[in-house]
Amino acid sequence: MPVPPSAPVEDGVLVLGPPRLVAGGTAVPVGSPRETVVLAVLALAAGTPVSAARLVTAVWDEDPPATARTQLQICVSGLRRRLAELALPVAIATTREGYQLDAGDGSLDLRRFTTAAEHARDRTRDGDLDGADASWSAALGHWRGRALDGVPSPLVERAALALDRQRAEAVAARASVRLRLGRHREVAAELGSLVAERPLDEELRALLMQALLDTGRRTEALEVFAAGRRALADELGLDPGPALRELHAQALRGTAGADPASAGPAPAPLPEVLPRQLPAAPATFVGRGEELAHVLGLLAGPPDPHASFAVRVVVVHGAGGVGKSTLALRAAHELAAGYPDGQLYADLHQEPAVGAGDRAARVLGRFLRGLGVADALVPDDPAERAAAYRSRLASRRVLVVLDGVTDPADVTALLPGSPGSAVLVTSRTRLPGLSGVAQVGLGVLPDDGGLALLAAHVGADRVAQEPVAARRLVAACDALPLALTIAGARLASRPHWRLADLVERLEDEGSRLDELSIGGLRLRTTLELTHHGLTPDARRLFRSLALPAFPRLPLWAAGALLGDERRGDDALAGLLETHLVTTRDGATGPRMVLHDLVRVFAAEQHAPPDAREGVERLLHGWLVLAGTAHLPVFGDRVLPGPLPGWWVPSRRVLDAVARDPLPWVDDERASLVAAVSAAVSLGSLQLAWRLGLAAAGLFEVRGHVDDWRATVDRTQDAADADADPTGRALTRLSRGSLLVHQGELEEARALLEAALGHFEDIGDGHGTGACLRQLAVVHRVGGRPSAARAAATRAVPLLHAAGDRSGEAHARAELARVDVLDGDLAGARDMLAEALRLARASGMLRTEAQVLYRAADVAALGGDLERAVRDMARVLEIATGLGDRIGVGYALYGLGRHEAARGRAGVAAERLRAAVATAEVTGDSHLLARARRRLDTVAGQTGAGRRRDR
């Protein structure tokens, strides 16, 4: 490979040639062979720790001596002295994992090459060909020969091969730019020796052939093709690819561009040209067999003569990077034989739209030239171009492939006029507005498909050696084919890496998208293209959906985040259409989901200026819905009044929650916990403690004790910081109720008495009654029946005056339990009858079930076990219907007790086992212990009965 003139070298480390150290502009050898190997490996991974084990392997391969670690330390010490003596801006640090080379970008020629190459790619994309040529030349100027030449290490040699491939790719990229600049002779002179060095590189050979043809050297171009065909056949047993074959055909026909000065008059174009414009079929194709079969089924064979005269159009749609182009090209190659009059191809990603119809007009011009129309005969008027195109395709069978379509109008403009031809389209959206087209949607690959794609790039052996890391890698790439392809390419070019090495890099979200980049493949670029096409509202919503605390938001959240339900719906439709957002089913409706890689990209975008207001609206929405869920479950439970100016979801959403509140709680439990923390972080303290209170009662009824516990401390802290007396009272009541539930009675008593004092100070009779009701439970369980009776007796008129029929019924049920302790069963029955009347009058089924539970126990104490079982069965029916899992557990426990008392030990054991299983799920340790003890007793009775039977 020819060595370009070297660029001025800054002080540092050189690896793009024989390894050298540069000080004061003078390059000197590194040191001993072992020191050279160590520095080479550290330089290849500059900025990243390299384990001592890898360095040992690099130096001694598979036969290290017993003193290898000691000798490695000596090598590192020698290198450090050498770097210090030369006063280089480079250092070797010792890390927990091993050693790391720290060098600035200007101190390592590999980094300077990579940076210049990236600039060259950017300028090529921007159309700055002169700038691109200069940047590629600057990049190649850092090379002084073969990478790491002369380093005695198999591991380093493998890495050097990958670097040399990057150099060849850079030469090819510069040659491509220079061809577009018309510098054909210069390219032909440069590539001759390089193609001889790399005879199997079809891209370089095609560029050389093109340069020769463009300078009129057709015979030489044919000789280059023949040499390549021999090399491919001898070495790989393959024929040249489509690009080389097309250039060969042009050379034979004499239709390739020629230098008028050397080639003489150009031959007249043939009247019938069969275009073969498809790019090469993808080398790797896995996991899309079903979708491929669907596309082939839609486009294979002649059109149905009995169907309409419409052209068959198939749109393959899906998120950026999901593999649409790969599927379309594979399908197009399989379909090519069925379209004998040719295949036309356009990549609309590369066609910026200047004005309406401009992109389609440029593609039409290229298609006409591909169909044999002389350049001078291509009409200037877009409508005339379209007419000429349709005329040219009339009575022909041509497959048209349009990759990366964003505007349905472009498809319409490029449709053939007769049904013999067909069109295969890829797009990030369904292209609404196109009628009569077949849609084939692509999602991410299944796990097995992702592993197969990874294995296709890195080899099945590497995947088999690290199965856990392979699955983690697929997960880190969201099973997105483009991401896996990039990851696979990086691993393939770094054979010294373990799969786990790349997984570790990808698990750092801050650099994940940077890691998913190699050569011209960058996942971020794909996402940027999609993001650029969004409306301003859709971009705002997209950025807002990256909130880390809320990974799966309900659909109504779109309206909250934008402050307008209709705008939210429209913006969400745009995100769903472009596949940036997907949905997952929940118990109460779909939820918005961003794949991890998309979420990382979204988080990189600028936050909307009103992001805080959007989050507060979202939190207000949850607070309103939590209050809506409270009503059918608890009735008039003590809750604070509404906040001023809060955002309210639509009536449709409110009604859905009111109809079925408990499944909504299960869907939103994680979001409600996160909402409390988010409100605290925003400094919205009133919102925080209100959210915590609303969530706590819902967590109680669903048995989400961990979530209840997770919110209660933050809720009380927020109320204290807010210095709101109602908040202080309510949050202490809530936390005290949790402690009662957990059996921590002394701490509960202290909190409830504090809450009682706050309620009495502010004159809140409802809150006072609610506190007294809970204190009655604490006193009764703590063995103070007189105090329990006094508290419950005070609570009844206060709750009655507040209109809290459910709370009053609970207080009366507590009085009945004290009556039982005093031996007054008749008084207990009368009190429970009134409590049951109140519960039914209020329509509170959960309260009715809780009162019936006590009534069943009183009936059993009075000897009426039939009624006890009947009432407890009704409790189980109500709890099951409500989805009250805690209530279900207690009802099963009660049925077990009463069935055992009836002598039906087998049925009792079955009920008690179900109660144990339910308590294990809900985490109710109090019920779990009681049910297990009772089950042991019943099981012993059952065993004794069996022994007596024998």
Side-chain angles (χ1 to χ4, degrees):
M1 185 182 293
V3 179
S6 296
V9 180
E10 299 181 34
D11 288 359
V13 179
L14 306 183
V15 296
L16 301 182
R20 292 289 186 269
L21 299 176
V22 179
T26 301
V28 297
V30 172
S32 72
R34 287 177 185 170
E35 289 174 342
T36 303
V37 171
V38 171
L39 184 65
V41 175
L42 292 175
L44 288 170
T48 303
V50 179
S51 69
R54 179 161 292 277
L55 291 169
V56 167
T57 300
V59 175
W60 289 281
D61 201 18
E62 297 180 357
D63 190 26
T67 59
R69 295 297 180 108
T70 302
Q71 293 188 52
L72 176 62
Q73 292 171 356
I74 293 171
C75 286
V76 172
S77 297
L79 285 170
R80 284 170 171 163
R81 284 196 302 274
R82 184 81 163 143
L83 295 172
E85 289 168 0
L86 296 173
L88 295 182
V90 180
I92 300 175
T94 300
T95 70
R96 185 175 58 184
E97 297 87 353
Y99 300 98
Q100 176 177 311
L101 185 74
D102 293 325
D105 287 350
S107 302
L108 184 60
D109 60 350
L110 176 56
R111 283 184 174 172
R112 294 195 294 272
F113 165 72
T114 303
T115 300
E118 192 61 37
H119 289 162
R121 293 185 188 95
D122 289 341
R123 288 170 177 170
T124 302
R125 280 191 293 271
D126 294 341
D128 178 9
L129 298 183
D130 289 322
D133 177 55
S135 292
W136 281 123
S137 295
L140 289 165
H142 294 296
W143 286 79
R144 298 166 294 106
R146 291 187 176 276
L148 299 165
D149 196 16
V151 179
S153 167
L155 188 150
V156 173
E157 288 171 3
R158 290 193 295 271
L161 289 174
L163 289 178
D164 283 333
R165 281 197 295 273
Q166 292 182 37
R167 179 186 180 189
E169 290 167 1
V171 172
R174 182 175 68 177
S176 179
V177 167
R178 288 179 171 178
L179 285 177
R180 293 167 66 184
L181 289 168
R183 296 162 64 178
H184 312 297
R185 287 185 173 81
E186 191 175 342
V187 172
E190 178 186 29
L191 293 187
S193 59
L194 184 56
V195 168
E197 284 184 26
R198 306 177 70 88
L200 302 181
D201 192 321
E202 292 191 67
E203 181 183 10
L204 289 173
R205 192 172 295 275
L207 288 167
L208 176 57
M209 285 186 67
Q210 186 67 62
L212 292 170
L213 289 170
D214 287 343
T215 54
R217 296 152 68 181
R218 185 170 65 167
T219 300
E220 292 178 61
L222 290 170
E223 290 173 354
V224 169
F225 176 83
R229 179 165 56 189
R230 287 193 301 271
L232 287 166
D234 293 344
E235 296 293 330
L236 304 176
L238 297 176
D239 291 328
L244 283 175
R245 293 200 303 271
E246 176 63 24
L247 286 167
H248 181 242
Q250 291 180 22
L252 291 174
R253 291 196 303 266
T255 56
D259 183 345
S262 60
L270 296 173
E272 296 292 336
V273 173
L274 303 183
R276 298 285 189 263
Q277 295 184 352
L278 294 179
T284 303
F285 184 82
V286 296
R288 298 297 190 194
E290 184 177 338
E291 294 89 346
L292 176 63
H294 190 191
V295 173
L296 296 179
L298 291 167
L299 295 179
D304 184 351
H306 302 293
S308 69
F309 291 98
V311 176
R312 286 178 290 180
V313 181
V314 174
V315 175
V316 178
H317 62 87
V322 83
K324 303 179 296 295
S325 299
T326 297
L327 173 63
L329 283 174
R330 173 61 179 265
H333 278 277
E334 293 203 21
L335 291 165
Y339 291 88
D341 296 319
Q343 300 86 44
L344 296 168
Y345 174 85
D347 182 357
L348 277 78
H349 289 117
Q350 308 299 324
E351 292 289 344
V354 178
D358 176 72
R359 181 163 41 206
R362 289 199 303 275
V363 173
L364 281 169
R366 287 207 306 277
F367 279 1
L368 286 170
R369 286 187 285 272
L371 289 164
V373 177
D375 209 24
L377 299 179
V378 174
D380 293 329
D381 181 71
E384 292 181 6
R385 285 189 180 190
Y389 169 69
R390 291 192 293 272
S391 298
R392 201 73 176 179
L393 294 187
S395 73
R396 290 190 181 188
R397 285 182 53 76
V398 171
L399 178 64
V400 181
V401 180
L402 305 176
D403 194 16
V405 173
T406 58
D407 187 348
D410 288 336
V411 179
T412 303
L414 294 166
L415 286 178
S418 54
S421 296
V423 180
L424 179 55
V425 178
T426 72
S427 176
R428 289 184 171 86
T429 75
R430 292 174 173 270
L431 296 177
L434 284 180
S435 59
V437 303
Q439 300 279 355
V440 178
L442 286 190
V444 298
L445 289 168
D447 286 348
D448 290 346
L451 288 171
L453 181 57
L454 181 62
H457 287 289
V458 305
D461 289 345
R462 287 178 80 178
V463 171
Q465 288 168 5
E466 297 182 75
V468 175
R471 290 193 176 277
R472 288 172 61 199
L473 182 56
V474 172
C477 291
D478 283 338
L480 196 66
L482 177 59
L484 284 168
T485 296
I486 294 171
R490 292 199 71 190
L491 287 165
S493 68
R494 294 163 174 81
H496 57 289
W497 273 17
R498 298 173 303 132
L499 271 60
D501 294 334
L502 183 55
V503 170
E504 183 178 347
R505 288 168 172 251
L506 293 177
E507 286 179 345
D508 177 3
E509 286 196 356
S511 61
R512 185 177 298 178
L513 292 178
D514 295 322
E515 294 294 339
L516 290 174
S517 171
I518 186 169
L521 285 177
R522 294 197 304 168
L523 182 62
R524 182 181 278 107
T525 301
T526 298
L527 294 172
E528 285 170 347
L529 285 171
T530 307
H531 184 256
H532 180 71
L534 296 174
T535 65
D537 273 352
R539 282 197 290 271
R540 282 182 60 207
L541 178 59
F542 179 61
R543 177 61 182 85
S544 298
L545 290 178
L547 295 168
F550 309 118
R552 294 193 174 192
L553 287 170
L555 299 188
W556 61 262
L561 291 167
L562 293 186
D564 182 274
E565 185 176 4
R566 180 172 295 181
R567 285 173 57 201
D569 286 345
D570 290 344
L572 176 57
L575 295 178
L576 292 170
E577 188 64 41
T578 55
H579 302 277
L580 285 173
V581 171
T582 58
T583 60
R584 296 286 186 274
D585 289 337
T588 54
R591 307 181 72 77
M592 297 180 282
V593 178
L594 274 67
H595 289 299
D596 285 348
L597 290 172
V598 176
R599 180 180 295 280
V600 171
F601 174 76
E604 293 178 351
Q605 310 312 307
H606 294 298
D610 59 348
R612 178 192 172 95
E613 291 83 350
V615 174
E616 288 190 335
R617 286 191 297 267
L618 179 63
L619 300 180
H620 279 147
W622 268 312
L623 180 55
V624 172
L625 292 174
T628 301
H630 258 269
L631 281 173
V633 177
F634 296 107
D636 295 323
R637 198 168 189 178
V638 184
L639 284 176
L643 283 169
W646 62 3
W647 191 86
V648 181
S650 70
R651 173 52 56 187
R652 171 178 50 82
V653 177
L654 291 168
D655 289 345
V657 172
R659 278 194 306 272
D660 211 1
L662 295 182
W664 178 84
V665 176
D666 291 339
D667 262 8
E668 297 292 352
R669 55 186 289 200
S671 294
L672 289 171
V673 173
V676 176
S677 297
V680 171
S681 298
L682 288 173
S684 299
L685 298 176
Q686 287 205 351
L687 187 56
W689 63 257
R690 281 171 161 81
L691 271 166
L693 286 172
L698 298 171
F699 293 156
E700 174 190 353
V701 74
R702 290 303 274 168
H704 300 315
V705 179
D706 289 341
D707 295 330
W708 189 2
R709 190 182 301 111
T711 58
V712 73
D713 288 339
R714 303 208 77 178
T715 302
Q716 184 176 327
D717 290 345
D720 289 348
D722 189 36
D724 185 294
T726 301
R728 286 179 170 178
L730 286 170
T731 54
R732 281 160 176 77
L733 171 58
S734 175
R735 190 175 181 206
S737 300
L738 170 63
L739 294 172
V740 170
H741 177 80
Q742 293 179 312
E744 299 176 26
L745 298 182
E746 287 309 310
E747 189 176 352
R749 179 181 176 182
L751 277 168
L752 291 169
E753 287 176 346
L756 180 62
H758 286 304
F759 281 125
E760 289 176 335
D761 288 344
I762 62 178
D764 187 335
H766 194 183
T768 300
C771 273
L772 288 167
R773 178 169 77 82
Q774 289 288 350
L775 278 168
V777 177
V778 173
H779 290 317
R780 175 181 53 78
V781 177
R784 298 180 294 276
S786 297
R789 183 181 294 281
T793 300
R794 282 187 63 198
V796 167
L798 291 169
L799 295 167
H800 182 82
D804 186 353
R805 299 292 177 261
S806 175
E808 182 185 351
H810 279 294
R812 288 183 179 277
E814 196 57 40
L815 283 170
R817 298 186 76 171
V818 178
D819 285 339
V820 170
L821 292 175
D822 291 342
D824 184 4
L825 293 184
R829 278 194 292 269
D830 291 344
M831 191 62 73
L832 286 168
E834 176 61 15
L836 193 58
R837 185 191 67 77
L838 287 167
R840 287 171 174 166
S842 67
M844 294 288 100
L845 283 174
R846 185 168 183 266
T847 305
E848 177 184 345
Q850 290 167 330
V851 173
L852 266 177
Y853 188 95
R854 305 303 168 203
D857 283 351
V858 170
L861 288 170
D864 190 352
L865 292 171
E866 294 291 338
R867 178 171 181 176
V869 170
R870 185 171 64 252
D871 284 351
M872 200 62 77
R874 173 61 180 156
V875 173
L876 179 60
E877 179 185 351
I878 293 173
T880 302
L882 290 174
D884 180 356
R885 288 177 291 198
I886 287 181
V888 167
Y890 277 93
L892 290 166
Y893 172 67
L895 280 169
R897 288 188 291 112
H898 298 322
E899 292 287 11
R902 293 172 72 190
R904 302 176 66 191
V907 176
E910 180 182 340
R911 297 294 194 180
L912 290 167
R913 277 192 289 270
V916 167
T918 304
E920 287 174 339
V921 171
T922 61
D924 190 332
S925 57
H926 182 60
L927 173 62
L928 182 61
R930 294 169 66 190
R932 281 176 172 166
R933 284 197 302 269
R934 183 73 65 160
L935 179 60
D936 289 342
T937 301
V938 171
Q941 292 170 353
T942 304
R946 291 198 191 101
R947 288 193 294 274
R948 284 195 298 271
D949 291 341
R950 290 199 296 271

